C-alpha cells in the first residue's frame, strides 16, 4: 500500500503578479498550452501513487471545483466529434481520484493554508504541491515520486530544493545542513526569504513537500511573521531542530509559473516538447 495517499494543494493566494488575469480566476487555473497548472500538479501526484487531492481554495473556488468535475453538457456536445479526445486526460483523473476542498478564509500565508488542510488530511504523512511551481523530469519519474522514495527510507519531512545563485535566493526559504550524499541534506536550519548576504546557502525550497502530521502542531505553535503571515519554513525549522527534516536536490526541471518570465519559459518548453512528440507520431 502506498505510504503517501493524500496531496494538499494550497491554492488560495491572491496571485497578484498575474493581475488582471487572476482577478476572477485562481492563478492555478492559468494554462500552460491547454492544461491548467493545477492539472499538471494533480498528474504528478497521481504518478506518485496518490489518489486523494485536498485543495485549499479562497476566492474563485468554483473554477477549480468545476474543472475536476464532469461537465455533462460539454461532454454531450463534443461526443463523437474529433475533439472528444481532448477531455480524455481530465476524465481519467476525475475517475481515478477523490477531490476534497476547504477554504482558507484569510490569506495568512502558506503555513496557515497548510494548517487549514488538517481536516482533509487527518493524522497521516502527506504531500504538498504548489501548482505554480511546475516540475517536469524528462529523464524519469516526477519530483513527488522521487521524494516519496526518500520519505520511505527516512520517515521524516522532506523538502525539495534547488540551487539558486545570486540575489534571487532572497525570494525563497533557504536551508542549511550536512550533506548525506550528493542529493540529500540533513537540515539543521532554515530561514524564510533571507537577505542575500545572510542566506545560509544557495539551496532554495521549491513547491514540493512531504510532511509528517506533527507539522500541524508545529504550525499552530508558529507565530505570525511579516504581514501577519504564518510561514511553513518556520514550522519546518522547528521540526528539523526537534527531529529530522531532509532537503532533496531533485532531478528535473522546475518553472516558477507564479511570475511572468517563468510562465513564458514553461509555455515555450512544453510547446517544444509537444512539437517533438507530434513529429515522432507522424
Ligand atoms: P505565493 O507566494 O506565490 O503568493 O504563494 P500568491 O498570493 O499565490 O501570489 P502573488 O505573490 O500575489 O503573485 C505560494 C503558494 O501558496 C499559496 C498560493 O496559492 C501559492 O500556491 N498560498 C499562499 C495560499 O494558499 N494561502 C496564502 O495565504 C498564501
Amino acid at each position: 500500500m502506498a505510504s503517501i495517499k493524500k496531496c494538499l494543494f494550497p491554492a488560495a493566494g491572491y496571485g497578484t503578479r498575474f493581475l488582471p488575469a487572476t482577478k476572477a480566476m485562481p492563478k492555478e487555473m492559468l494554462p500552460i498550452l491547454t492544461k491548467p497548472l493545477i492539472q499538471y500538479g494533480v498528474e504528478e501526484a497521481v504518478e506518485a501513487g496518490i489518489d486523494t487531492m485536498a485543495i485549499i481554495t479562497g476566492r474563485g473556488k468554483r473554477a477549480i471545483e468545476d474543472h475536476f468535475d464532469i461537465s455533462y453538457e460539454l461532454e454531450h456536445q463534443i461526443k463523437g466529434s474529433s475533439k472528444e479526445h481532448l477531455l480524455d486526460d481530465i476524465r481519467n483523473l476525475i475517475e481515478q481520484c477523490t477531490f476534497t476542498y476547504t477554504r482558507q478564509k484569510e490569506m495568512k500565508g502558506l503555513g496557515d493554508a497548510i494548517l487549514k488542510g488538517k481536516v482533509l488530511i487527518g493524522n497521516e504523512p502527506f504531500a504538498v504541491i504548489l501548482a505554480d511551481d511546475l516540475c517536469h523530469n524528462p529523464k524519469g519519474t516526477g519530483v513527488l515520486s522521487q521524494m516519496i522514495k526518500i520519505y520511505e527510507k527516512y520517515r521524516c519531512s522532506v523538502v525539495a530544493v534547488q540551487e539558486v545563485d545570486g540575489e534571487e535566493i532572497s525570494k525563497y526559504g533557504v536551508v542549511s545542513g550536512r550533506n548525506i550524499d550528493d542529493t540529500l541534506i540533513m537540515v539543521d536550519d532554515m530561514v524564510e526569504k533571507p537577505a542575500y548576504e545572510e542566506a545560509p546557502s544557495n539551496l532554495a525550497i521549491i513547491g514540493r513537500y512531504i510532511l509528517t502530521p506533527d507539522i500541524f502542531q508545529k504550525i499552530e505553535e508558529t507565530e505570525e511573521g511579516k504581514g501577519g503571515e504564518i510561514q511553513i519554513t518556520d514550522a519546518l525549522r522547528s521540526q528539523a531542530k526537534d527531529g529530522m527534516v531532509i532537503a532533496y536536490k531533485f532531478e528535473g526541471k522546475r518553472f516558477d509559473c507564479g511570475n511572468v518570465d517563468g510562465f513564458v519559459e514553461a509555455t515555450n518548453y512544453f510547446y517544444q516538447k509537444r512539437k517533438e512528440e507530434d513529429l515522432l507520431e507522424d
Side-chain angles (χ1 to χ4, degrees):
M1 198 165 141
S3 59
I4 305 285
K5 300 187 291 285
K6 295 180 182 168
C7 184
L8 194 69
F9 292 82
Y14 289 123
T16 52
R17 284 167 291 169
F18 268 96
L19 283 170
T22 47
K23 191 168 166 237
M25 179 182 81
K27 110 176 130 175
E28 291 73 14
M29 285 302 293
L30 292 172
I32 298 293
L33 306 190
T34 52
K35 213 156 52 176
L37 284 168
I38 194 156
Q39 189 178 333
Y40 286 90
V42 169
E43 286 173 357
E44 185 182 328
V46 167
E47 188 224 26
I50 292 172
D51 64 6
T52 301
M53 311 299 156
I55 303 179
I56 309 297
T57 59
R59 80 268 110 58
K61 119 185 173 141
R62 276 204 48 193
I64 297 180
E65 281 198 21
D66 288 347
H67 186 70
F68 293 111
D69 199 356
I70 290 170
S71 167
Y72 290 104
E73 209 180 303
L74 179 64
E75 304 241 346
H76 180 72
Q77 272 296 326
I78 66 168
K79 198 171 170 55
S81 82
S82 60
K83 303 213 182 70
E84 199 177 359
H85 72 280
L86 296 176
L87 288 179
D88 286 352
D89 289 351
I90 182 69
R91 208 182 287 136
N92 286 339
L93 288 182
I94 293 167
E95 271 168 26
Q96 280 178 63
C97 306
T98 302
F99 293 88
T100 62
Y101 299 87
T102 191
R103 272 198 181 214
Q104 184 189 20
K105 292 189 196 76
E106 289 173 276
M107 300 312 117
K108 284 170 66 182
L110 182 55
D112 180 66
I114 291 175
L115 183 58
K116 292 290 172 294
K118 187 177 175 183
V119 285
L120 306 176
I121 298 293
N123 189 28
E124 58 184 283
F126 61 102
V128 177
I129 288 185
L130 304 186
D132 50 351
D133 262 346
L134 179 49
C135 293
H136 181 252
N137 181 13
K139 294 193 193 133
T141 58
V143 176
L144 214 53
S145 289
Q146 299 168 36
M147 293 172 77
I148 288 177
K149 281 220 174 81
I150 293 153
Y151 168 77
E152 282 169 352
K153 179 159 180 208
Y154 292 93
R155 300 272 154 188
C156 67
S157 291
V158 182
V159 298
V161 292
Q162 180 178 34
E163 288 177 1
V164 169
D165 293 321
E167 310 246 343
E168 275 285 297
I169 194 73
S170 56
K171 294 183 181 159
Y172 294 86
V174 182
V175 305
S176 66
R178 178 175 60 78
N179 285 354
I180 300 173
D181 60 28
D182 286 351
T183 59
L184 298 181
I185 298 110
M186 183 78 72
V187 175
D188 59 26
D189 204 0
M190 49 174 89
V191 44
E192 182 63 24
K193 300 191 176 69
Y196 170 53
E197 305 73 34
E198 284 160 24
S201 77
N202 67 346
L203 295 174
I205 305 173
I206 63 127
R208 297 289 181 280
Y209 307 78
I210 304 289
L211 300 173
T212 52
D214 56 310
I215 196 73
F216 293 126
Q217 168 106 36
K218 296 286 185 202
I219 301 173
E220 277 161 355
E221 289 163 8
T222 300
E223 285 179 19
E224 290 178 8
K226 247 185 282 165
E229 294 210 338
I230 296 173
Q231 305 292 355
I232 189 64
T233 311
D234 293 334
L236 277 161
R237 181 168 183 266
S238 168
Q239 254 191 348
K241 300 267 179 207
D242 292 352
M244 189 160 110
V245 172
I246 285 184
Y248 168 58
K249 290 190 211 168
F250 61 95
E251 182 183 274
K253 290 180 168 296
R254 170 249 173 189
F255 301 95
D256 176 6
C257 294
N259 77 58
V260 175
D261 287 347
F263 187 87
V264 172
E265 213 187 304
T267 302
N268 289 335
Y269 173 83
F270 282 93
Y271 183 68
Q272 197 56 41
K273 186 170 159 290
R274 181 184 281 187
K275 286 273 159 216
E276 282 160 18
E277 284 163 4
D278 286 351
L279 270 180
L280 282 178
E281 270 175 30
D282 286 346

